Amino acid sequence: EVQLVESGGGLVQPGGSLRLSCVASGFTFGIYGMSWVRQAPGKGPEWVSGINSEGGSTYYADSVKGRFTISRDNARNTVYLQMNSLKPEDTAVYHCARDPVVSREYDHWGQGTQVTVSS
């Protein structure tokens, strides 16, 4: 069974940082692309960032480019999202998703972790 478990969310002030983690199990992690997708209250899902299976190619939405960094550790079956210079508009539930060829066609999602940016 594919499982994706996110952690690392919380309440942070504007300008602050958080690092999200997503631990994967139930499949061969190292051959799949992965993405982070967020959903703010009352809005649809928004793709944030993606990374290919080997970690050599990364992709970002314009709204987070230069502030967020995606990475992965295939030995630990984990994908990360380092979020810096956070803004109130980054407030959302952040999900990691299996995205086999990083085409934003997700076949599995995690439950998500809440990120709230507020003073």
Side-chain angles (χ1 to χ4, degrees), residues 29-93:
F29 179 73
I31 64 171
Y32 285 88
M34 298 293 295
S35 280
W36 286 94
V37 181
R38 67 187 181 187
Q39 187 159 15
K43 296 187 177 181
E46 176 192 14
W47 174 81
V48 173
S49 182
I51 188 167
N52 73 341
S53 60
E54 298 173 349
S57 295
T58 57
Y59 311 90
Y60 299 94
D62 287 345
S63 58
V64 306
K65 200 171 293 182
R67 300 188 297 122
F68 290 11
T69 302
I70 190 171
S71 61
R72 65 189 296 161
D73 183 343
N74 286 350
R76 297 178 184 271
N77 285 5
T78 303
V79 60
Y80 304 98
L81 187 67
Q82 177 66 45
M83 307 186 295
N84 299 330
S85 302
L86 283 160
K87 304 175 181 180
E89 52 263 44
D90 295 317
T91 295
V93 176

